[in-house]
Amino acid sequence: MLENEYIVIIIIDFSKACDTVRHYTLAEKLAQLDIPDQIHNWLANFFTGHSHRTQYLGQQLTTQMINANIIQGSTIGPASYVVTASDLNLVTPSNEMCKFADDTYLIVPACNID
């Protein structure tokens, strides 16, 4: 990249991306990684069994199970998003992509600007 006259950096912020990650999809992608079964099972268990219930003016709604969310502020949240976004690939091999948490940076050298 240093040999180029300039580069273009496109910053993609997938707002609320962590709220849309399906636990089932994450578990499938984790299963494809070369990690010990105990770690995979621990992660699957971590994302299972969360629920939410709203209370307003003393009235409680029915408890709903959460099946699509990774807790962004948790230690495992950013890595889980990166695993989920792992199939987001470059079309042009000489470009570069950096992913962290819900931010993705596409780096395009001047020679690829067209």
Side-chain angles (χ1 to χ4, degrees), residues 1-75:
M1 294 274 184
L2 293 176
E3 297 172 0
N4 288 279
E5 181 181 345
Y6 62 91
I7 63 169
V8 173
I9 299 176
I10 301 170
I11 302 169
I12 306 165
D13 182 4
F14 293 104
S15 295
K16 303 288 184 184
C18 293
D19 294 339
T20 62
V21 173
R22 301 241 175 252
H23 297 161
Y24 177 79
T25 304
L26 177 59
E28 283 184 334
K29 290 184 179 187
L30 287 169
Q32 295 173 7
L33 298 176
D34 186 24
I35 58 176
D37 289 343
Q38 300 92 324
I39 302 297
H40 176 269
N41 294 340
W42 181 86
L43 289 167
N45 187 52
F46 178 80
F47 290 109
T48 303
H50 297 276
S51 61
H52 174 80
R53 178 175 46 191
T54 301
Q55 179 176 338
Y56 180 70
L57 296 175
Q59 191 174 35
Q60 293 185 3
L61 300 177
T62 307
T63 301
Q64 299 292 320
M65 296 306 295
I66 298 172
N67 62 5
N69 179 292
I70 52 177
I71 302 165
Q72 188 173 7
S74 68
T75 303

